[in-house]
Amino acid sequence: MEILHIAAECYPVAKVGGLGDVVGSLPKYQSKAGHLVKVVIPHYDTIFINENEFDCIYSGFVKLGNFNFPFNIKKESTCILGFELYLVEIPELFDRKEVYGYEDDIERFVSFQIATLDWINSRNDIPDVINCHDHHTGLIPFMMLYANKYEKLRNIPTVITIHNAIYQGQFGFDKLYYLPDFDLSKVTFLEWDNRINSLATAIKCALAVSTVSPNFLNEINNFGYGLESLFNLVRHKSRGILNGIDIEVWNPLKDEMLFANYSIKTLDKGKQKNKEKLCSQFDLDPTKPLFSFIGRLLEEKGADLLPQAAAMALSENFLEINILILGSGNAEIENQLSHLLATFKGNYNVFIGYNEELAHQIYAGSDFLLMPSRVEPCGLNQMYSFRYGTIPIVRRTGGLKDSVIDIGDNGNGICHYQASIVDICSSIQRAVKLYKDKKNLKKIQKIGMNIDHSWEKVCQEYIEMYHLITY
Ligand SMILES: Nc1ncnc2c1ncn2[C@@H]1O[C@H](COP(=O)(O)OP(=O)(O)O[C@H]2O[C@H](CO)[C@@H](O)[C@H](O)[C@H]2O)[C@@H](O)[C@H]1O
């Protein structure tokens, strides 16, 4: 079947977080399974886009209310990613370094969605299914059903995959005129809490809704960021599919970003080498257990707890542990984490920013990975940790609950219930104890490394979902 994914991110073209990882890997494995898979994202000013060849295959103008933005559809010419990659080039709106965070994000992503549909509408061959991802593509199912100019696309089944339900792409009805002419009797599909809500619109209009873990689907039926009643209403067409990971990109034996490659057989030596390099780079003690955190420094990730939790853990375990943090986000959290350096130099370090290579090195060189998330629709970091023989320490929420089982229950990681400093610190204490019990430590590391979280296994669940709505 022909599957078209539409999203804001796709690794390695443009990535801010896990959405990019999934949109860069699920299509690759669907393609390997024999499907024709296309991915459409905006044309940003990123290294991958500047360094690769693209052919312009379509041009037009996006009409956004009174504005007319010229756009091109560009196709990556070599299929280097294992699927067909298409970029929507709207220079005025997307020729920028960052993916999100601009005042005109609504105008940017509404234009992206209209340009994408204009192009699909112009094609003779149309996809069998369109898989939208998150709110940036949430108006697509609505426009396909009710915008006059997309009548031809009406019968293409659509899926909305929810990676993050906190951000919903809301805007006022004063911008309703941005949308192409549509059947006005359907305007209520756009509305939630008196505003246009892109995610709610997609949930109402898509033929299927998927979340990135089964447990997150259960959670949002009770606590759905204002959308719980809607999630309950569409339960019949919803399913939770736990994310997979790209085992080619995340492979300690072949990962070119590591200081030393290793497999389950050479775990001890391999991890030690990576740890020593990492520790010397960050002025840490390689003889002590290394606890790391990688992620966006936001409350949803529990990152606001990190400064105090790190201070407490480092004081309680004085000179017994190392903590290393990689991330960026909330400026206050960034400052607090940076300030800890003065007190705990030698046992603590932080890198504020985004660094893909360093992330790989940290997964490989750490002993434990902290994920005190308040919200985690799936979480990929714990899966990368397993693969690199690093034990995740997680709060039992969302997809973390689906993928991490506490060592007390013969599991693969360390779990706590509360997003609290005390809970994080007591998990760290348990980890320190485990670290000293080398035999048990190795056993748990190996359990993790043997888990198969590959897309090869999971991508069939997406195909089953598509089949349910295409036949
Ligand atoms: N500073 C930094 N430098 C380098 N790399 C960094 C980084 N900060 C984060 N990353 C990387 O970004 C990715 C984060 O992925 P996650 O799935 O853990 O969270 P995210 O909230 O972005 O994704 C959302 O979508 C995904 C995909 O569905 C869900 O798993 C998740 O729960 C949901 O919140 C990982 O590849 C991580 O290594």
Side-chain angles (χ1 to χ4, degrees):
M1 65 167 37
E2 179 178 331
I3 305 159
L4 185 83
H5 291 275
I6 311 176
E9 301 175 35
C10 172
Y11 177 81
V13 192
K15 168 176 164 181
V16 175
L19 170 65
D21 285 345
V22 171
V23 179
S25 54
L26 167 63
K28 178 167 138 186
Y29 288 87
Q30 288 179 330
S31 196
K32 282 187 184 190
H35 303 283
L36 174 58
V37 191
K38 304 181 175 182
V39 173
V40 189
I41 66 162
H43 180 294
Y44 308 98
D45 180 9
T46 67
I47 296 171
F48 180 95
I49 293 175
N50 294 328
E51 287 182 352
N52 284 275
E53 296 287 315
F54 295 86
D55 301 319
C56 183
I57 56 156
Y58 182 79
S59 296
F61 285 88
V62 193
K63 188 174 154 0
L64 191 79
N66 303 328
F67 303 99
N68 258 314
F69 297 108
F71 76 91
N72 298 310
I73 303 292
K74 292 185 160 180
K75 182 182 179 198
E76 193 275 319
S77 46
T78 62
C79 215
I80 191 175
L81 300 178
F83 50 81
E84 294 185 11
L85 172 70
Y86 295 86
L87 301 179
V88 178
E89 182 179 50
I90 314 176
E92 236 173 290
L93 299 174
F94 285 102
D95 191 16
R96 308 179 193 178
K97 297 263 180 241
E98 304 300 328
V99 172
Y100 318 111
Y102 298 99
E103 272 183 10
D104 58 351
D105 275 358
I106 291 296
E107 285 73 14
R108 295 169 77 223
F109 286 102
V110 174
S111 303
F112 164 62
Q113 296 176 78
I114 296 173
T116 303
L117 288 182
D118 280 359
W119 164 56
I120 302 171
N121 204 32
S122 75
R123 288 171 48 189
N124 294 326
D125 54 328
I126 51 175
D128 294 307
V129 62
I130 293 187
N131 196 153
C132 300
H133 296 265
D134 276 353
H135 75 82
H136 323 97
T137 57
L139 298 173
I140 283 178
F142 173 84
M143 291 195 282
M144 286 170 62
L145 285 175
Y146 305 121
N148 302 331
K149 66 172 171 172
Y150 302 135
E151 204 184 334
K152 186 173 144 190
L153 310 180
R154 210 134 290 175
N155 294 325
I156 306 176
T158 51
V159 175
I160 177 73
T161 298
I162 301 171
H163 302 259
N164 193 325
I166 299 176
Y167 306 103
Q168 299 174 2
Q170 294 121 319
F171 54 101
F173 271 94
D174 54 327
K175 292 183 176 173
L176 182 67
Y177 74 110
Y178 283 174
L179 302 187
D181 290 345
F182 64 92
D183 177 354
L184 269 179
S185 70
K186 308 295 181 194
V187 73
T188 50
F189 282 105
L190 294 169
E191 190 268 343
W192 196 260
D193 269 347
N194 290 318
R195 305 192 77 201
I196 295 174
N197 181 313
S198 306
L199 187 64
T201 303
I203 294 166
K204 293 180 200 178
C205 297
L207 276 192
V209 176
S210 72
T211 60
V212 288
S213 71
N215 186 47
F216 187 65
L217 181 61
N218 289 335
E219 286 178 358
I220 54 178
N221 275 270
N222 297 313
F223 187 73
Y225 314 98
L227 301 181
E228 36 285 304
S229 59
L230 181 58
F231 283 122
N232 276 289
L233 215 64
V234 300
R235 189 70 199 226
H236 62 283
K237 62 171 183 179
S238 310
R239 59 169 62 196
I241 305 176
L242 191 71
N243 280 335
I245 59 169
D246 190 333
I247 52 168
E248 288 169 357
V249 173
W250 299 94
N251 179 358
L253 193 57
K254 301 220 169 115
D255 190 334
E256 289 173 4
M257 300 188 210
L258 303 192
F259 301 117
N261 290 112
Y262 60 97
S263 66
I264 196 162
K265 284 189 192 136
T266 54
L267 168 67
D268 285 352
K269 266 194 186 160
K271 185 166 277 296
Q272 191 57 30
K273 272 192 191 158
N274 281 289
K275 185 173 170 181
E276 277 166 13
K277 272 278 194 182
L278 193 63
C279 285
S280 83
Q281 198 174 319
F282 285 96
D283 190 20
L284 301 168
D285 181 348
T287 64
K288 306 289 179 326
L290 175 57
F291 294 80
S292 301
F293 172 94
I294 300 172
R296 292 176 294 123
L297 298 175
L298 301 174
E299 278 189 24
E300 63 186 88
K301 296 288 178 197
D304 55 310
L305 303 169
L306 285 175
Q308 266 184 285
M312 193 188 242
L314 286 161
S315 311
E316 278 178 356
N317 301 280
F318 192 57
L319 295 182
E320 255 203 273
I321 64 169
N322 301 296
I323 296 182
L324 176 60
I325 294 181
L326 163 64
S328 63
N330 178 300
E332 178 62 28
I333 301 176
E334 289 180 0
N335 278 338
Q336 288 179 11
L337 289 170
S338 300
H339 275 125
L340 288 183
L341 264 174
T343 319
F344 298 107
K345 208 170 173 305
N347 288 80
Y348 169 85
N349 217 326
V350 57
F351 182 102
I352 301 294
Y354 184 92
N355 188 325
E356 190 73 28
E357 188 174 58
L358 180 57
H360 283 243
Q361 291 163 356
I362 293 178
Y363 288 119
S366 303
D367 298 296
F368 300 95
L369 192 93
L370 298 164
M371 295 185 78
S373 307
R374 286 200 173 75
V375 180
E376 201 58 85
C378 175
L380 297 170
N381 299 16
Q382 78 280 17
M383 299 183 187
Y384 300 148
S385 297
F386 286 142
R387 191 119 169 96
Y388 286 71
T390 301
I391 298 172
I393 297 180
V394 308
R395 176 171 171 251
R396 258 183 216 266
T397 186
L400 296 175
K401 198 170 166 191
D402 286 323
S403 52
V404 185
I405 302 165
D406 191 80
I407 49 172
D409 299 319
N410 286 326
N412 46 28
I414 295 177
C415 305
H416 53 90
Y417 280 95
Q418 304 294 325
S420 72
I421 293 157
V422 172
D423 271 34
I424 298 170
C425 288
S426 75
S427 288
I428 292 178
Q429 291 288 22
R430 290 181 68 205
V432 171
K433 210 169 141 205
L434 175 65
Y435 185 79
K436 289 176 183 158
D437 178 357
K438 292 292 179 220
K439 202 171 149 211
N440 210 11
L441 176 78
K442 199 161 178 184
K443 187 183 111 196
I444 309 293
Q445 286 171 321
K446 287 194 168 175
I447 291 176
M449 286 184 95
N450 276 322
I451 301 172
D452 180 5
H453 275 302
S454 67
W455 277 117
E456 264 153 31
K457 217 174 102 195
V458 185
C459 86
Q460 191 52 31
E461 292 186 46
Y462 273 82
I463 305 300
E464 277 165 23
M465 170 170 64
Y466 302 154
H467 279 317
L468 282 179
I469 54 175
T470 44
Y471 297 118

